[in-house]
Structure formats: C-alpha cells, structure tokens
Amino acid sequence: MKEYIIRLVYVEMLGHDASFGYIHAVKMIHDDSLLVKRTGYLAVTLFLNEDHDLIILIVNTIQKDLKSDNYLVVCAALNAVCKLINEETIPAVLPQIVELLAHPKEAVRKKAIMALHRFYQKSPSSVSHLVSNFRKRLCDNDPGVMGATLCPLFDLITNDVNSYKDLVISFVSILKQVAERRLPKAYDYHQMPAPFIQIKLLKILALLGSSDKQASENMYTVVGDIFRKCDSSSNIGNAVLYECICCVSSIYPNPKLLESAADAISRFLKSDSHNLKYMGIDALGRLIKISPEIAEQHQLAVIDCLEDPDDTLKRKTFELLYKMTKSTNVEVIVDRMIDYMNSINDNHYKTEIASRCVELAEQFAPSNQWFIQTMNKVFEHAGDLVNIKVAHNLMRLIAEGFGEDDDTADSQLRSSAVESYLHILGEPKLPSVFLQVICWVLGEYGTADGKYSASYITGKLCDVAEAYSNDETVKAYAVTALMKIYAFEIAAGRKVDMLPECHSLMEEFLASHSTDLQQRAYELQAVIGLDAHAVESILPSDASCEDIEVDKALSFLNDYIQEAIEKGAQPYIPESERTGMLNISNFRNQDHHEASSHGLRFEAYELPKQTVQARIPPASLASTELVPVPEPMYPRESYQTTTVPSVSSDAASTELKLRLDGVQKRWGRQTHFPSTSTSNSTSLKTVNGITQVDGSNTANSRTRETYDSRKQVEISPEKQKLAASLFGGPSKTEKKSATGHKSSKPSSHMVKSHAPKSSMEVASEKTSVQQPPDLLDFGEPTVKSTAPSLDPFKDLEGLLEPTTQVSSAVNHSSTAAVTKSPDIMGLYTETTAGAHHKDSDILSGLSNPPMTNMVGGTTTMQVAQSSKGPNLKDSLEKDALVRQMGVTPSSQNPNLFKDILG
Amino acid sequence: MMIHFVLLISRQGKVRLTKWYSTYSKKERSKVLRELSGVILTRGPRLCNFVEWRGLKVVYKRYASLYFCMCIDPDGNELEILEIIHHYVEVLDRYFGSVCELDLIYNFHKAYYILDEILISGELQESSKRTVVRSVAAQDSLVEAAKEETGSTISNIIAHAAK
C-alpha cells in the first residue's frame, strides 16, 4: 500500500489527476505503524490543500498524534498541521500545539512555533493571546528554535512595530553574539556564523529602526561590525551584506553606515557576476532615496546594466530608473521604457511598464506636446493593457488645457492633437481605449480650428464606427462625437448635410441591440431636428470642462409624487423591507456576501431586524424625508419612481446612510429585471438644478505655474551622454520637482484632502466614480500624503454641511443602462460649493449609486419626455449637456461601494 | 510567506519534485510549471539566477542536470534564497552521499522528508545541516527498525526510538 501511495504522489506530481487515491492516503495516517503513518502524512500534505473536504477526516487523527509519546509521530503530525489546518480547524488543535511549545525535544518546539506562525498568518486573532509565548521562545536554549521564532516575530513586527520596540536591545545582542560566533559550529555556513539567522535579524531590525532614531542608534555598532566582518567573496557573505544595506537604508540614516553601504554597492556593481550586479542595482534603488548623490558615481555601471542582454537585469535597471526619474531626465527614461515596452511580449510586464510610463509622464512631463505624444505612443503599443483611467486623464487634459492662461496655446495643442489623431487613424488596428480617446477628441475639437470640414471629420468617425463594428464602446463614442460635430455645425448656423454613410450608420444603430447605442442614435436624430439656439444650449462648444449640477435627490419629482399619493398611490417602501432581505444589492455585493457567508458558522443567528417600521415615513411628510412613492412593481402599467430623498437641512449622517442603503438596493434589484433595464432613461434628464456654466471661473482658478522651458536633453547613442542625461544636474532637478507640475502621485487612497488648490473643479464628472489617483492636481507630491480619510461616512458628514449651506441640493441623474457598459454615462455630480469641499467631487459620485428611472415599456424619447419632463426642450438640453460632459464612463469601483454600503 | 513554491525540473523539462506552500489549483500548478520551465530552461548560462515572473521572483540554480527553483515575494533577498537552495542540496548530498538525479527520482519521497525538515510553510526552519541530517536519520532508523521487527507492536517501536 505504501508503495502505491508513493507512486500516486509521483503521478500527481507529474500533473495527472490522482484524486481517486486521496482517501487511501487519509486512511494511511490512521495506521498504527509509524512507517505507514509517515508516508500517509507526506501524501496528504502533498495531495490536499487546506480547503479540501477530506481535511475534516484528518483533524481527529492529528489531535491524537499530537499527544503521542513518540516525538517523531508528533513531528509528522506537526508537518501536516502547518500545511493542512485551516482557519476553521485551528481551535481544534491550538491547545495541544501550545503545550508542545514546552516539549523536551527541540525539533518539536521548533515545529510547534512554525505551526503557530502559520496560524497567525491564517487568522491573526486566533493566536493573538499567545504572543508572549513567541517572546519566551526567543530565549530558547536551542539556536534552531530561536531562529525559527524569528519568523513569527518578523510577521508580528511587520504588522505592529510599536509594541516590540522593547525587543530592540535583545535582537541587537543576539545579532552581536551570532556575529561573534557564539553559536554552535553546526550553524556555520561556508565559514559564516549562522548567516540565515543574521539575515532574519537584520530584517527585523530594519523594521524596528525605520524612522525611529533612538532604536536605530542602538543598532549602528552591530550593523557596522557586520559590514566589516562580512566576507564578500562568498555568496552568503554578499547575501548578508545586501541585507545590511537594506537595513541601513531603512533605519534612521547614519553617515558612516551609508558610506559602507555605498562601498558595498559599488563592489556589487563592479563585480562580474550578474547576480551581484542585480543585487547592486536593487540596493542602489533602496539607498537612492536617502542619498540621491550616490547614483552619480555608478552611472556607467547602470548604463551597462541597461544594455545588458539579461532581461532580468534590464528590468531591474528600469525599476531603478523609474525610482530616480526627475523632470530633467524624464524624456530619456520614458523613451527608453517605451522602446523596451515595444520589444517585449510578456503582457504582465508590459502592463506594468506602460503604467509606469504613464505615471512618470503625468508626474514630470516637461511639455504638454510631449505628454500627448508619449501617451499616444503608449496607447498605440499597449493600449489594451493600460487602465481606462489613463485615457480619461488624457481627455481631461486636452479638454482643460494645461493651466496656462492663454487660450491660444490650448487650442494649438488641441488642433495638434486632432491632427495627430487623424494621422494615427490611418493605422490598421488600434486599441479600443485609444480609439475612444480619438473619437472624443475629434468630436470635441475636430472642427474647432476650422482646418477640417465637418464632413471630413464625420466621415472619419463613420469609418471608425464601421471598422470596429464589434466594439460597442467605440461605436458609442463615435456616435456621440458625430452628434457633437453636427451640433456645432448647427449652432454655427451652417446647414448640415448628413453623409450617406452616416445615415446608414444611424439606421443601423437605431435598430441596434444595444440600448445605449440606440439611445445615442435617437438623440442624434432629435438634435439634428432642433434649431440653432436650442442646439447651442444643449451642446455648447468647448464646454466639456464646465460643471454640471445634478439633482441627485430628484427633488423635482416631489410634486409629482405628492400628487400621486394624493390620488391614493402607495408610498414607496424600500426593497429591503419589502422582501425582508438585507443584502440584495448589486451583483458584486452579492458575490461578496456569498463569499463571506461560506463556511461553518459558529456564532448564533442574528435576531430579526426591528427597523422596518421606523423606516417608513408617514405619507403626508414633505420633501425632507424619504418621500413616499408609488409602489414600483408594475413597470408596464404605471410609472415607477424612485425614492426621492432630498437633502434636508438638518440631515444627520445616519439619515444619510439610510438613504444610501435604499438607493443602492433599488439599484441592485433593478439589475435583476431585464424588462426594466430596457427602459430608456432619458426621462430623468429633467434636472432642476441650475447648470453652472462659468468658464472664466474655471480658467481663473487654474492659475498654475507655467513651467519654464528646460534644457533639452539630447539622446545620444554614446553612453556618456546618456549617462549625463540620466544623472546630470541633480541639484537643479531638485528644485524643479519641488515646484512640481502635474504631480499626481498615484496612491490607492480614495480621498484626499488637499488644501487650497481649488482647481478641483477638475470637472467632477470625470472623477465621479473613478479613483482619484488620476486626478490631476497641481500641488506638491508631499501634500498628497496628508491623511487620506478612509471612512466614507465621515467624509459624507463633512460634505453634508457645506452642501446645505449652499443649499444646492446635489442633484443626480443617470441612465438606466449604466449598469453594464461602463461607457454609457455614469453619474455626473457636481457641487457648486467650490473651494471648501474638494472631496465632494469624489464623494458625491461615490455616494450616489445611479438611480434608474423606469418608464414603462420600450420607451422612446417622446414617451419619456411627455411623462417626466415638463418640457421637451428643457429636458433635452440638460440631457445633452450631461452627455457632453459625460465622456467619462463610470467604471464602477466595487470596493468603494462595498465600503460605503456595507 | 517567504517561499511560495519549490520546484525541481530536469534539463529536459521533466518535473522531479514540487512543493507548494501557497495554494494553487491543479490547473494553476501545471500552468506555472509550463511557464517557468519555458523561461528558466532557455536562459543563457552567464545570466543572473533570478527571473521576475508575474510580480514575484523566481530564484533558480542549476546543479548538473537539475534546476532547483524557488519562488519568492518581490522584496525577498535573492542571494539568501540561492543559499537556501544550496543548503538543501548540501543536505541532500550528505544524506545520499554525492547525490545525483537518479537518487531523487527513485527516492523522491525522501527528498520530501528532507525538505520538510528544512522548510516549513515556506519559511526556513532549520539552518544547521547537522540537525537536519540527524532528524531525518532518526526517522529512518525508526523505519528500519519497523521493517526488521515486522509484526511487532507499536510499543516496541517506541521503545526502540527511545534508546
């Protein structure tokens, strides 16, 4: 049997399915004979992973074996514990493992420690009360056990540095003893005293000493000693040296140690071994943060590495360059990166390097022209791999201009962009994201400078829509662009002749399966039929940066609702209360809940919720609370309406939450009904809020620095010059990067409070649902780090007050179809209260999941308007304005919604 | 988690040993094997022993016809991993007495036992060669004893072990 199982392991290892034999392996561990048992344990650890169903059959045996008198049995069981015990079964074995920490055999103690470490990784709370045991084991007589204890301590310290500051002294003294060869000879490795333990200790010290001067001072001597003692001819010696450099670069800087670190790095870089060069480059990247000047002496070595045939080394060098990019060398570096990007096929790395290019370009771009060209290159070569946000950023940049006050520069830039895009359109195959940008720019600015006729541009756009006929997003962009161009023409008083291909395209779209395309086509038709004045106000030229005020509370519906209720309609009851279910929000949330509800439940079931009554407001209530609304269950017969909560003046945060819940759930539910999702949403466009079109204000607020023209660095084939361009003039660059333009250091934080730069009217619709990293903002990068508040509700509260002051109900509108295709208009929120709540643009976007408005049946615009809009023209105007701003697809961020809506 | 998985691949691309410390499904495992053997076996001789792969790093070293690979986090110390590989090889060498690929093919389960003494859940648990060899030998002697005294009870075995 044993032989068979071993063969089975072999079979499994070769990649075949051996699951039929798993149960036999499980049986073997029940065997009395150690020989068989050991094989059984080996087999199960190799066959099963921690989620496997058979684990439950093993736990009992493990429990028994952990109590065995034979330490080898215990060891075998502990090996299995480390691999197989999952979060749910930890409590079953935990007490026994803790007992084993005092086992006379050091092998058992060691494995018990490692098992606890494993538990900590799986579920930190399960062993949180055992931390003192780790500390105790640090003083174990056996160096092996002590060494093993460093692993869990390292993890613990990574998570919480401050509770372990007291251990600095002990770690330092242990390290000292190790370095002085106080450990048994058996731990020597290639004449180095216990190097693995040294490395682990250095890692821990690096954590403890990071930005802690006092703790760091304790370490200086011992780290210096190790630097001196390390034998740099052996591999392991270099490993320790490297770890020392990491430690030095992490702890509070000490000039002497930095010097030895720099020496070690230069030895690495000068070495012939690629491994050492690689480590040298890596170490340089670490040290450069502390002392940027050391890069200069190694410039030639770095250039060598950049041109090395070894791909790994090359990538590492690019990483280093990325770290040392400044505004003086950005052009060289990004060009290099793009060249390299073009030469590789590995999508994973391509994505990474593309996003780095974008980041650097955004951060340090010397000129806008250059920025656009660079982005074009990136899009062309890696368009499908870059984040959609990048495209939105680019569009915004073109739309807003670049902060200079003179408009001519902006328009020059736009026409050059148009020109380059028209040129690029000739290429046979372009990535979808890039096409979206192109369509948008052409629609917005194609005819702006009068160089190209409308029919030429529209012809091009039709070509795009035809050539990429299976990409609906691109088609949608193209149609909207067409609409804009025609609108501009009409507004300018010219007669519009639709090209024949455009006509046929429209006909096709009018019958399209995609509701979005259909709607856009109908809108185009409607717009063309209007007179110049109406069109002018629907689609004003060059207004994409203006803000739109959206009545997200839908307060304009109040009258309607009131009327309906008086006629005896049922007030609206939120979905959740009707069904008694709490968690049917959108699909993503659902997934999330399902995921989290898997597994055994130990705790008791919750009590039923009592809140139902409290949440149904009396029917007579005015608009301040949840406004009752007809029961939205009959889409074919009566109009469904949304909850109409408006921001009441004394709204408390709880109320706000409540409101959000309702909204979100409605939204989620609707996605379940295919019939309602076809209803088109034009109806909702009757936005009561006043649209603020205030161009001059936008321009003025953007009084950013114009950046000086800087020295043009030439790329020369010679290394020397390249080196000069990469490394040259660091002092000058310091200044420049400090004034930082367009420094948008991407960070994963959602919300940034960002002091007096009110340039944040950065058309809020763009940021609406995206994350802010692509917010172009113009402050110094350091400002960004100011405590990003992670609690969305806090921010909401903060947001609420200014909003009420300004008494502009934040309006809100969106389309029904938003759910699926991201490019259909999302929600566009805007807050009129300019400077004092910068967060709002993000927040209001987030906090208002799009509400749909369902109108019965297949709604054409006419039906929709007659039902909802007080006036066809008005509603169309608003809609179109929203549409125009709304290039930004609302790619929803599931995490955010989860955060906000639980 | 320091080490995500350990692979031993022969120069012909045959898998000799795999140990997964992070969870990978069967499909992922074979994909990893395919991708990595493609990358590693084709690398030239004088290049560095590290490969960046899907945001992780793979450290490999060739001994005769066998490639030993370990996959680590991007911020790990590659040279240290290289030495852990070497440490493992030295222990194997000491255990088998000038180890060769055939030893590992026919006694791959022993290679697993040894690996289990050196690494546990992806961390280095024992850096002393002597201790590792001793504890593997202790297990083996017990197994030998069990073979000799076939039919003996478990208590006999334990008595033997206690000697």
Side-chain angles (χ1 to χ4, degrees), chain A residues 29 34 37 57 224 242 358 395 401 467 569 575 629 742 756 810 850:
Chain A
I29 65 165
L34 176 61
K37 192 188 271 292
L57 297 177
Y242 168 78
V358 170
M395 289 189 245
E575 199 96 9
V629 160
K742 286 202 217 66
V810 194

Side-chain angles (χ1 to χ4, degrees), chain A residues 421-487:
Chain A
Y421 288 150
L422 284 174
H423 182 69
I424 287 169
L425 272 183
E427 307 269 324
K429 184 98 183 78
L430 292 168
S432 165
V433 179
F434 193 32
L435 281 169
Q436 292 168 25
V437 178
I438 292 178
C439 285
W440 188 84
V441 171
L442 287 186
E444 200 71 30
Y445 303 112
T447 53
D449 59 353
K451 213 156 150 196
Y452 299 99
S453 71
S455 60
Y456 178 71
I457 302 277
T458 48
K460 282 278 180 193
L461 286 169
C462 289
D463 288 348
V464 170
E466 268 161 37
Y468 298 88
S469 56
N470 44 10
D471 188 338
E472 299 217 329
T473 321
V474 171
K475 280 197 280 186
Y477 269 86
V479 176
T480 309
L482 283 176
M483 176 156 65
K484 279 183 215 160
I485 291 194
Y486 285 131

Side-chain angles (χ1 to χ4, degrees), chain A residues 698-839:
Chain A
T698 321
N700 286 340
S701 68
R702 249 181 264 114
T703 48
R704 288 169 242 151
E705 292 164 74
T706 55
Y707 10 90
D708 41 352
S709 60
R710 46 186 54 82
K711 197 179 68 186
Q712 195 63 33
V713 207
E714 278 195 354
I715 313 164
S716 104
E718 297 149 61
K719 284 178 194 172
Q720 285 289 2
K721 280 202 176 161
L722 179 57
S725 59
L726 286 175
F727 297 90
S731 56
K732 188 168 27 167
T733 53
E734 291 282 88
K735 260 180 267 152
K736 275 173 191 158
S737 61
T739 58
H741 39 253
K742 286 202 217 66
S743 51
S744 67
K745 190 113 197 163
S747 98
S748 57
H749 300 307
M750 306 316 307
V751 182
K752 291 167 185 164
S753 48
H754 193 268
K757 316 274 179 194
S758 65
S759 52
M760 291 302 117
E761 337 166 313
V762 161
S764 56
E765 72 277 6
K766 303 245 165 150
T767 46
S768 59
V769 188
Q770 307 163 26
Q771 303 196 354
D774 51 358
L775 248 184
L776 277 186
D777 67 30
F778 311 99
E780 296 181 13
T782 48
V783 188
K784 313 292 300 191
S785 61
T786 52
S789 60
L790 288 170
D791 179 1
F793 285 122
K794 279 242 175 74
D795 290 305
L796 281 173
E797 281 172 53
L799 168 64
L800 208 62
E801 269 152 43
T803 321
T804 47
Q805 280 165 19
V806 187
S807 83
S808 72
V810 194
N811 298 346
H812 176 273
S813 141
S814 79
T815 63
V818 171
T819 22
K820 292 298 168 229
S821 68
D823 65 315
I824 309 170
M825 313 187 5
L827 57 169
Y828 309 106
T829 53
E830 186 267 349
T831 42
T832 40
H836 45 236
H837 42 166
K838 291 106 222 159
D839 298 346

Side-chain angles (χ1 to χ4, degrees), chain A residues 507-758:
Chain A
E507 247 141 60
E508 184 194 322
F509 288 167
L510 285 175
S512 167
H513 286 302
S514 152
T515 43
D516 174 53
L517 273 182
Q518 220 178 51
Q519 186 189 342
R520 284 174 198 254
Y522 272 113
E523 280 170 8
L524 173 57
Q525 250 184 0
V527 166
I528 287 176
L530 294 171
D531 64 61
H533 175 70
V535 172
E536 170 88 62
S537 46
I538 296 172
L539 288 167
S541 176
D542 189 17
S544 57
C545 303
E546 318 309 344
D547 298 327
I548 296 183
E549 187 178 314
V550 183
D551 184 358
K552 70 177 174 200
L554 304 182
S555 53
F556 52 89
L557 286 176
N558 287 351
D559 289 343
Y560 173 77
I561 292 154
Q562 211 58 42
E563 198 184 316
I565 287 168
E566 274 157 24
K567 281 182 193 160
Q570 293 255 322
Y572 173 72
I573 304 167
E575 199 96 9
S576 53
E577 287 153 27
R578 247 182 289 137
T579 57
M581 289 177 64
L582 283 167
N583 289 330
I584 303 181
S585 38
N586 61 27
F587 283 122
R588 287 198 192 90
N589 273 3
Q590 219 174 6
D591 286 347
H592 173 67
H593 285 297
E594 268 167 26
S596 65
S597 64
H598 274 313
L600 302 176
R601 287 189 53 162
F602 292 122
E603 71 274 21
Y605 288 99
E606 300 90 349
L607 289 170
K609 292 273 178 212
Q610 299 281 319
T611 55
V612 178
Q613 287 310 312
R615 288 178 69 176
I616 304 174
S620 60
L621 228 112
S623 67
T624 46
E625 301 268 349
L626 281 175
V627 174
V629 160
E631 173 77 70
M633 288 315 288
Y634 313 102
R636 302 260 163 200
E637 290 153 36
S638 68
Y639 299 126
Q640 293 195 347
T641 342
T642 48
T643 23
V644 184
S646 75
V647 183
S648 67
S649 51
D650 57 343
S653 65
T654 52
E655 214 174 60
L656 200 57
K657 279 181 212 166
L658 185 86
R659 213 151 45 90
L660 285 170
D661 276 349
V663 171
Q664 173 66 9
K665 274 158 199 156
R666 296 200 71 265
W667 176 235
R669 180 53 119 202
Q670 275 156 15
T671 59
H672 294 281
F673 295 157
S675 66
T676 57
S677 71
T678 56
S679 67
N680 249 325
S681 55
T682 12
S683 51
L684 203 73
K685 299 303 160 41
T686 45
V687 178
N688 274 355
I690 308 137
T691 311
Q692 211 185 27
V693 183
D694 189 353
S696 63
N697 182 18
T698 321
N700 286 340
S701 68
R702 249 181 264 114
T703 48
R704 288 169 242 151
E705 292 164 74
T706 55
Y707 10 90
D708 41 352
S709 60
R710 46 186 54 82
K711 197 179 68 186
Q712 195 63 33
V713 207
E714 278 195 354
I715 313 164
S716 104
E718 297 149 61
K719 284 178 194 172
Q720 285 289 2
K721 280 202 176 161
L722 179 57
S725 59
L726 286 175
F727 297 90
S731 56
K732 188 168 27 167
T733 53
E734 291 282 88
K735 260 180 267 152
K736 275 173 191 158
S737 61
T739 58
H741 39 253
K742 286 202 217 66
S743 51
S744 67
K745 190 113 197 163
S747 98
S748 57
H749 300 307
M750 306 316 307
V751 182
K752 291 167 185 164
S753 48
H754 193 268
K757 316 274 179 194
S758 65

Side-chain angles (χ1 to χ4, degrees), chain A residues 6 13 17 32 34-35 38 83 110 118 187 189-190 235 239 243 274-275 278-279 310 312, chain B residues 1 16 20 26 43 46 48-50 55 57 77-79 83 86 90 108 126 139 142-143 154:
Chain A
I6 288 180
M13 187 173 81
D17 182 45
D32 284 338
L34 176 61
L35 179 66
R38 193 166 74 133
K83 169 78 181 164
K110 202 166 58 192
R118 188 75 178 153
Y187 285 87
Y189 180 89
H190 293 217
N235 208 350
E243 207 55 60
H274 275 81
N275 286 350
Y278 177 92
M279 299 312 271
D310 188 344
T312 312
Chain B
M1 177 83 61
R16 293 297 175 218
W20 310 86
K26 196 162 278 165
R43 274 176 73 83
R46 291 220 347 107
C48 63
N49 295 53
F50 322 126
K57 284 193 288 206
N77 181 341
E78 294 90 343
L79 289 178
E83 289 311 299
H86 192 68
E90 281 186 2
F108 73 97
E126 185 52 72
Q139 295 172 28
L142 206 82
V143 170
I154 187 80

Side-chain angles (χ1 to χ4, degrees), chain A residues 2 6-7 9-10 12-19 22 32-35 38-39 42 45-51 68-72 75 78-79 82-83 106-107 110-111 114 117-118 121 142 144-145 147-148 151 155 185-190 194 196-197 199-200 203 235-236 238-240 242-243 268 272 274-276 278-279 282 286 308-313 315-316 319 346 348-349 352, chain B residues 1-2 8 14-26 29-30 33 43 46-58 60-61 63 74-88 90 95 104-106 108-110 112-113 116-132 134-136 138-144 146-147 154 157-158 161:
Chain A
K2 187 185 132 229
I6 288 180
R7 275 178 210 180
V9 170
Y10 200 78
E12 176 97 353
M13 187 173 81
L14 292 179
H16 307 287
D17 182 45
S19 50
Y22 290 177
D32 284 338
S33 149
L34 176 61
L35 179 66
R38 193 166 74 133
T39 316
L42 177 68
T45 52
L46 293 170
F47 285 152
L48 309 182
N49 59 35
E50 55 179 33
D51 306 321
S68 163
D69 298 332
N70 185 341
Y71 81 95
L72 291 173
C75 282
L78 279 172
N79 276 343
C82 288
K83 169 78 181 164
E106 64 277 353
K110 202 166 58 192
K111 282 187 201 280
M114 298 309 273
H117 178 211
R118 188 75 178 153
Q121 285 174 338
D142 184 75
V145 180
C151 299
D155 269 17
K185 265 267 180 282
Y187 285 87
D188 282 11
Y189 180 89
H190 293 217
F196 297 108
I197 293 179
I199 288 174
K200 203 86 207 173
K203 277 184 180 159
N235 208 350
I236 188 70
N238 287 323
V240 177
Y242 168 78
E243 207 55 60
F268 281 171
D272 281 338
H274 275 81
N275 286 350
L276 288 185
Y278 177 92
M279 299 312 271
D282 186 89
R286 287 173 192 265
D308 200 278
D310 188 344
D311 229 28
T312 312
L313 195 54
R315 288 180 188 187
K316 196 79 202 172
E319 202 179 309
D346 171 5
H348 189 271
Y349 191 66
E352 193 180 313
Chain B
M1 177 83 61
M2 195 160 69
L8 264 69
K14 289 261 188 311
V15 185
R16 293 297 175 218
L17 186 142
T18 57
K19 179 89 184 173
W20 310 86
Y21 294 109
S22 302
T23 311
Y24 290 88
S25 72
K26 196 162 278 165
R29 288 180 183 191
S30 55
L33 281 169
R43 274 176 73 83
R46 291 220 347 107
L47 306 182
C48 63
N49 295 53
F50 322 126
V51 179
E52 284 177 24
W53 176 79
R54 291 166 181 266
L56 298 173
K57 284 193 288 206
V58 177
Y60 70 94
K61 191 159 185 191
Y63 291 90
D75 56 347
N77 181 341
E78 294 90 343
L79 289 178
E80 184 196 2
I81 302 298
L82 216 49
E83 289 311 299
I84 290 179
I85 293 178
H86 192 68
H87 178 59
Y88 179 44
E90 281 186 2
Y95 180 81
L104 295 185
I105 295 174
Y106 291 116
F108 73 97
H109 56 289
K110 291 193 175 150
Y112 273 121
Y113 290 134
D116 277 344
E117 293 303 314
I118 294 175
L119 296 175
I120 204 162
S121 59
E123 301 277 357
L124 183 71
Q125 65 159 327
E126 185 52 72
S127 57
S128 154
K129 268 172 278 185
R130 193 183 299 162
T131 317
V132 174
R134 208 190 292 136
S135 78
V136 176
Q139 295 172 28
D140 280 352
S141 69
L142 206 82
V143 170
E144 292 301 319
K147 268 184 194 160
I154 187 80
I157 298 171
I158 293 165

